[in-house]
Amino acid sequence: MSKLKIAIQKDGRLSEKSLELVRECGIDLTNGSRKLLSVAGNFPVELMYLRDDDIPGYVADGVADIGIVGENVVEEEQPDVQILEKLGFAKCRMSLALPRTDNYKGLDSFHNKKIATSYPNILQSYFKKKNIEAEIHEISGSVEIAPAIGLADAIFDIVSSGSTLISNGLKEVETVMYSQAVLISNSDLNNEKAEIAEKLLFRMRSVRKSGKNKYILLNAPNDRLDDIIRLIPGMKSPTIMPLAEEGWSSMHSVLNENEFWDVIDKLKNYGAQGILVIPIEKMIV
Ligand code: PRP
Ligand code: ZN
């Protein structure tokens, strides 16, 4: 049986989370010491650890079958791959930044300016769309120091927390795109590999869903049960069991993390008691 080759970033902003996601999918990586390859013991996959910039090309060429990489890298390189799923981690933006003391008067400020970046294609097409003529200077690393050493007037780079900009005396002035980790696939997988990729994608979705949801148990007065069911309907509908004490029920449901505190406040107003909230490890819907 053939193995699906998954490319993930060797070292960088996506590596930890990519590996964690693969592990949470129940894939047991025997020699996960990040050499070049590791083979899973219990699922037909093989992990390849690569530089992020190389991942789209290798997936397009079939050296790897699927890969986890930043959307920005895919956008920059325009490889012939399919984006299977946005993975919701390593979120960042691609922005234009200027020295903090510069007076920014809108996009026209970039006319005839020299801009350093590792993402010339994204910037080029953005400027084309906005009718800006600028000189794009491609450099491969430490873009943020370019203005200070007189190499450029501005930069275009990844911004996540923004601390790199601050520590280099720069300010973000325009956001060109938002990015996050995505799962990409070779567009011509054979049936066997496509099936493995499908299974893996199903697992990834289950892991992501469960992460955002919590299992909730509570006791409620029977006359408020309808309100509570409307508030936390659960996956299909909540489980309700009578308590030994007359007029009370126990209820089990599922609750999304984003609405957690809001729901808890309302539950208390409805007279719910003994509320327990438990993490969900996997969620199959
Ligand atoms: C990016 C970017 C900045 C930093 C910004 O580099 O080039 O250096 O992250 O993050 P911050 O806003 O949280 O400070 P990255 O670590 O992705 O390395 P790479 O460009 O070599 O892939
Ligand atoms: Zn990189």
Side-chain angles (χ1 to χ4, degrees):
M1 189 177 179
S2 60
K3 286 192 159 87
L4 187 76
K5 284 177 277 177
I6 309 173
I8 67 169
Q9 192 184 24
K10 190 181 172 62
D11 188 22
R13 64 173 55 239
L14 280 79
S15 351
E16 285 293 315
K17 284 274 171 100
S18 304
L19 203 54
E20 192 183 307
L21 177 61
V22 172
R23 288 220 161 94
E24 282 172 344
C25 288
I27 293 167
D28 167 30
L29 300 165
T30 40
N31 59 338
S33 56
R34 302 224 194 140
K35 288 172 190 146
L36 182 63
L37 273 180
S38 49
V39 181
N42 57 352
F43 196 70
V45 295
E46 218 172 77
L47 251 69
M48 305 171 73
Y49 304 96
L50 301 170
R51 282 191 45 220
D52 64 344
D53 304 14
D54 295 337
I55 292 176
Y58 280 160
V59 171
D61 295 347
V63 175
D65 299 308
I66 63 169
I68 298 176
V69 71
E71 226 176 341
N72 56 324
V73 182
V74 179
E75 185 66 23
E76 175 66 21
E77 298 181 15
Q78 299 287 324
D80 177 20
V81 297
Q82 275 176 281
I83 293 187
L84 295 183
E85 186 91 342
K86 297 194 178 198
L87 297 172
F89 65 87
K91 288 190 175 168
C92 62
R93 44 196 194 273
M94 304 284 309
S95 295
L96 282 156
L98 290 175
R100 198 177 21 143
T101 48
D102 280 18
N103 194 1
Y104 183 61
K105 296 200 199 73
L107 261 188
D108 284 340
S109 311
F110 290 104
H111 265 303
N112 302 320
K113 289 284 165 58
K114 213 176 188 183
I115 302 153
T117 186
S118 310
Y119 298 88
N121 295 329
I122 296 176
L123 186 59
Q124 187 69 65
S125 63
Y126 177 73
F127 277 162
K128 200 169 165 205
K129 213 168 58 195
K130 303 283 184 182
N131 283 315
I132 305 287
E133 287 281 350
E135 188 186 327
I136 298 175
H137 194 83
E138 180 174 358
I139 53 179
S140 59
S142 304
V143 170
E144 59 279 359
I145 64 166
I149 61 172
L151 195 65
D153 304 303
I155 68 160
F156 172 62
D157 201 11
I158 295 171
V159 182
S160 172
S161 64
S163 59
T164 301
L165 292 186
I166 291 173
S167 53
N168 286 279
L170 301 169
K171 62 177 174 189
E172 186 177 3
V173 294
E174 295 286 343
T175 301
V176 172
M177 72 172 278
Y178 289 90
S179 175
Q180 59 177 286
V182 291
L183 184 70
I184 57 171
S185 166
N186 178 279
S187 36
D188 198 24
L189 291 185
N190 67 35
N191 287 344
E192 205 177 0
K193 286 184 172 181
E195 213 171 285
I196 304 168
E198 191 61 41
K199 271 189 190 149
L200 185 67
L201 185 57
F202 174 77
R203 291 187 185 193
M204 284 183 179
R205 286 180 176 151
S206 303
V207 168
R208 286 199 57 205
K209 276 208 191 82
S210 65
K212 283 205 210 102
N213 287 287
K214 302 275 178 262
Y215 194 73
I216 179 166
L217 299 91
L218 56 90
N219 295 328
N222 287 346
D223 57 353
R224 302 312 294 270
L225 273 180
D226 287 346
D227 293 324
I228 296 178
I229 292 170
R230 261 195 300 275
L231 188 63
I232 38 172
M235 287 167 76
K236 193 158 189 154
S237 71
T239 307
I240 310 234
M241 285 172 289
L243 288 190
E245 185 179 331
E246 190 75 23
W248 283 78
S249 296
S250 162
M251 174 170 163
H252 299 196
S253 191
V254 169
L255 163 66
N256 192 287
E257 201 168 66
N258 300 330
E259 51 198 25
F260 183 83
W261 290 110
D262 190 40
V263 167
I264 297 293
D265 285 344
K266 286 185 178 143
L267 285 174
K268 288 195 336 217
N269 289 338
Y270 289 149
Q273 295 178 1
I275 303 173
L276 291 181
V277 178
I278 301 167
I280 297 175
E281 198 178 283
K282 305 276 187 309
M283 200 163 146
I284 315 299
V285 289

